[in-house]
Amino acid sequence: MSPVQKKIPLQVDSLWTNVHLATMTETGPYGMVKDGALAIGGDKIAWIGKRIDLPGDLESRVDKVYDGQNGWITPGLVDCHTHLVYAGSRAREFELRLQGATYEEIARQGGGIRSTVSETRQADEESLLAQSAPRLQALMQEGVTTVEIKSGYGLDLETELRMLRVARHLGERFPVTIVPTYLGAHALPPEYEGQSDQYIDFVCNKVMPQVAAQKLAVCVDAFCESIGFTPEQTERVFETAKKLGLKVKLHAEQLSDLQGAELAARYGAVSAEHLEYVSEEGIKAMAASGTVAVLLPGAFYFLRETRVPPIDLLQRYRVPIALATDCNPGISPTTSLLLMLNMACTLFRMTPEEALAGVTRNGARALGLRQKIGTLEPGKDADFVVWDIADPAELAYRIGFNPLQQVVRHGELLTQ
Ligand code: DI6
Ligand code: FE
């Protein structure tokens, strides 16, 4: 913890006591404060520290004092990589894969992402919203207060803009912060078969300017892969994104090493994602540019991958590691970020503390939001979760169990 904050905050509306705090600042395990207190002023954290250090008469002069019942408070969870807006399901493809077909084979035969594209194109805005909302709500029920949502299942102008509008509406309808990402370079749509360069022209010249003009996305992402787009094509997407003032991220090194991590780093990407096949050179480049590694254990598990992302190397070069659900119908049909914590520990050998940092501090960083969210510190958004647990490691330890007690977002206690 930083030095005791003695100054009495000007505005304090409510106070949480009888709680322990996993502040997730980088000061010791979990940035832990036993017997803590947290004061809210407006939508921000006004004061945080040990209860005995609470300034002056603060406890007696606030309107609302909440009893955390000896539980733990963590920052609101951040799911920094999802594709949760889509129509339909890919359960049939799951069955095919269980009979031996690979993800790449299915994709090459026009299934996979393309089948979700065709269902998403047919869904109107209302239907897309109705199909996507339960996925978002499931994430929120586990304490997620910030969610990135990628487009990329429309691929034509109209459907991509529709997906991004749905993402925006979700953020208006529910008490959650949505960070929308334009992922036009996700797959080649059937109408551009054999013309991937022309499709990238379309992405850069027709769609991205509209996305930027309508402020429908904060970031731009691409799938740089043998079954996706080449590094050169990815570069063109990034050039345009930069000109339009959009942040960049990249699906890199999921199935092979195309040096996407180096490319992402060259463009100052906030994150590079998946990374099972990333090389030491790629990791060095990410470290130099401050690019966050977003690991997706749900996709690793669901595709029964065996190549574990190089956690040791990422740690050696101090690349921050974030974790996310990758919620999507093809390779990670999950809406449980808590399950991802357990999978990161069992499959990737991360510690429960590293896993929790992955969905708080580092998740925030992967969205370029580290100044606002991701840790419990004065001045940051009052987005936090009260858990009925005796030890923060329980969040990663249990499987299929949700100890959530309460969620506060922007200073408001949400009704469960
Ligand atoms: N990687 C992913 O995680 C999703 N897209 C991608 O490039 C999967 C998309 C899908 O199979 O529907
Ligand atoms: Fe993904």
Side-chain angles (χ1 to χ4, degrees), residues 28 98 153 363 402:
L98 289 171
Y153 288 123
N402 182 3

Side-chain angles (χ1 to χ4, degrees), residues 383-405:
D383 287 6
F384 59 85
V385 187
V386 190
W387 307 93
D388 179 15
I389 50 175
D391 179 324
E394 278 184 52
L395 295 176
Y397 155 72
R398 300 189 68 151
I399 302 172
F401 180 76
N402 182 3
L404 182 138
Q405 282 291 297

Side-chain angles (χ1 to χ4, degrees), residues 81-83 150 153 183 186 221 251 254 273-274 296 299 326-328 331:
H81 177 147
T82 86
H83 309 246
K150 300 175 195 293
Y153 288 123
L183 174 57
H186 190 199
D221 190 354
H251 276 70
Q254 180 185 355
E273 335 215 318
H274 286 284
L296 306 162
D326 196 11
C327 170
N328 75 68
I331 65 171

Side-chain angles (χ1 to χ4, degrees), residues 3-72:
V4 178
Q5 188 194 338
K6 282 264 158 52
K7 225 176 109 219
I8 300 184
L10 289 178
Q11 185 197 353
V12 174
D13 302 310
S14 56
L15 181 67
W16 286 77
T17 58
N18 192 22
V19 279
H20 310 294
L21 310 166
T23 65
M24 300 315 289
T25 57
E26 285 171 275
T27 48
Y30 298 100
M32 199 184 272
V33 180
K34 288 283 200 70
D35 302 313
L38 188 162
I40 301 172
D43 59 357
K44 304 284 184 219
I45 296 173
W47 190 93
I48 184 162
K50 278 205 161 292
R51 188 178 183 176
I52 49 164
D53 293 328
L54 267 175
D57 60 345
L58 197 62
E59 199 159 345
S60 56
R61 76 174 159 90
V62 270
D63 284 350
K64 280 179 248 155
V65 180
Y66 294 99
D67 180 351
Q69 301 187 10
N70 207 28
W72 280 82

Side-chain angles (χ1 to χ4, degrees), residues 121-404:
R121 285 181 175 181
Q122 283 165 43
D124 63 18
E125 210 157 314
E126 205 180 317
S127 156
L128 205 47
L129 188 75
Q131 293 188 59
S132 307
R135 293 189 275 270
L136 177 64
Q137 288 174 288
L139 290 175
M140 291 172 65
Q141 276 153 19
E142 286 188 352
V144 172
T145 49
T146 304
V147 185
E148 187 247 18
I149 301 180
K150 300 175 195 293
S151 69
Y153 288 123
L155 308 179
D156 59 19
L157 176 69
E158 197 193 319
T159 318
E160 285 294 304
L161 297 184
R162 191 188 318 138
M163 287 185 74
L164 292 169
R165 280 198 304 273
V166 167
R168 178 158 76 192
H169 287 164
L170 287 168
E172 289 160 0
R173 181 174 292 192
F174 297 101
V176 63
T177 302
I178 302 292
V179 179
T181 296
Y182 171 55
L183 174 57
H186 190 199
L188 192 62
E191 61 275 17
Y192 278 92
E193 191 64 60
Q195 300 180 288
S196 59
D197 281 327
Q198 285 85 338
Y199 177 65
I200 294 296
D201 289 341
F202 168 74
V203 163
C204 294
N205 304 333
K206 290 276 175 348
V207 191
M208 235 189 293
Q210 290 258 16
V211 167
Q214 295 182 39
K215 297 198 182 348
L216 282 170
V218 174
C219 309
V220 168
D221 190 354
F223 186 30
C224 183
E225 193 56 67
S226 53
I227 57 168
F229 295 90
T230 65
E232 293 70 30
Q233 291 167 335
T234 303
E235 209 154 343
R236 288 173 54 208
V237 172
F238 281 3
E239 284 289 341
T240 310
K242 289 264 138 180
K243 277 191 203 126
L244 292 167
L246 297 161
K247 293 178 191 153
V248 297
K249 314 173 129 285
L250 188 63
H251 276 70
E253 275 76 275
Q254 180 185 355
L255 308 165
S256 60
D257 182 10
L258 296 185
Q259 295 168 13
E262 287 90 327
L263 171 63
R266 260 203 318 285
Y267 281 86
V270 281
S271 62
E273 335 215 318
H274 286 284
L275 296 172
E276 280 82 346
Y277 288 82
V278 71
S279 68
E280 186 162 355
E281 290 312 306
I283 291 173
K284 280 191 205 164
M286 287 173 67
S289 64
T291 301
V292 176
V294 178
L295 305 185
L296 306 162
F300 178 91
Y301 163 81
F302 199 67
L303 287 176
R304 301 205 293 177
E305 296 283 355
T306 50
R307 175 132 170 175
V308 175
I311 308 283
D312 290 356
L313 273 181
L314 288 166
Q315 289 175 338
R316 190 178 316 152
Y317 289 101
R318 299 182 167 279
V319 174
I321 299 175
L323 296 170
T325 59
D326 196 11
C327 170
N328 75 68
I331 65 171
S332 195
T334 179
T335 46
S336 173
L337 193 55
L338 290 180
L339 178 60
M340 298 306 107
L341 299 185
N342 180 273
M343 285 188 177
C345 297
T346 52
L347 300 173
F348 296 168
R349 294 274 162 239
M350 288 172 69
T351 66
E353 188 205 353
E354 288 161 357
L356 191 58
V359 296
T360 53
R361 184 174 74 234
N362 295 337
R365 221 168 142 160
L367 298 176
L369 292 176
R370 65 191 292 207
Q371 310 296 341
K372 273 176 81 74
I373 56 167
T375 58
L376 302 176
E377 292 178 81
K380 284 204 173 180
D381 286 356
D383 287 6
F384 59 85
V385 187
V386 190
W387 307 93
D388 179 15
I389 50 175
D391 179 324
E394 278 184 52
L395 295 176
Y397 155 72
R398 300 189 68 151
I399 302 172
F401 180 76
N402 182 3
L404 182 138

